[in-house]
Amino acid sequence: MFLKSLCKSVLFGVPIGITFLDTVGYVARVEGISMQPVLNPGTKNTDYVFLSRWSVRDYQVKRGDVISLVSPKDPNQKIIKRVVALEGDVVNTLGYKNQYVKIPEGHCWVEGDHTGHTLDSNTFGPVSLGLINAKALCIVWPPSRWQNLEAKLPNNRSPISKSI
């Protein structure tokens, strides 16, 4: 009787859980200093964020959104960065091979908040929207840092010209 109940729970629970994680979202640990001071502000702090897959299901992101994406340099690594520019925008780069870049269709420009301590579009160029897998909505751990993550750009990182 117990075994039958357990099997039934697993048969229904596992697909529901996988579907939730794959379409709605999950909690992830943020490592490194590239998004300081917004994420991991201290050397001993490690933030956990809720990553919403549902928010990016149609690849509609805004300037200032904090997103998770597959690294263009290493497909086995996920990185978290801020969207600075969208397709059609012109951005003033920080050390990229061209000083000014017009973002091509189907791409965006992402940067870490901790300028100079991040591998971002200034290293690998515009990023395909297809590499985006989630949007960071809020910090969920530690409790002292509970907060929503606002979609805002640092003052000096707005695109030179915006497409929309």
Side-chain angles (χ1 to χ4, degrees), residues 84 91-94 111-113 115 153-160:
V84 172
V91 67
N92 184 7
T93 68
L94 301 171
E111 293 182 357
D113 287 354
T115 306
L153 287 174
N155 293 335
N156 60 343
R157 294 309 303 145
S158 291
I160 295 171

Side-chain angles (χ1 to χ4, degrees), residues 12-34:
F12 286 110
V14 169
I16 290 170
I18 290 172
T19 301
F20 182 85
L21 293 173
D22 199 41
T23 58
V24 177
Y26 59 98
V27 174
R29 180 179 181 200
V30 178
E31 296 178 359
I33 62 171
S34 72

Side-chain angles (χ1 to χ4, degrees), residues 52-67:
S52 171
R53 289 183 181 268
W54 190 261
S55 296
V56 295
R57 67 190 179 283
D58 54 2
Y59 302 106
Q60 294 296 314
V61 293
K62 301 181 310 221
R63 291 174 200 90
D65 283 347
V66 177
I67 58 167

Side-chain angles (χ1 to χ4, degrees), residues 1-11:
M1 184 75 153
F2 171 74
L3 189 57
K4 184 179 178 181
S5 176
L6 178 66
C7 287
K8 193 183 247 186
S9 296
V10 169
L11 282 174

Side-chain angles (χ1 to χ4, degrees), residues 93-113:
T93 68
L94 301 171
Y96 187 60
K97 60 186 174 185
N98 302 325
Q99 184 177 359
Y100 300 102
V101 173
K102 183 174 182 180
I103 310 305
E105 186 176 340
H107 290 72
C108 65
W109 189 269
V110 296
E111 293 182 357
D113 287 354

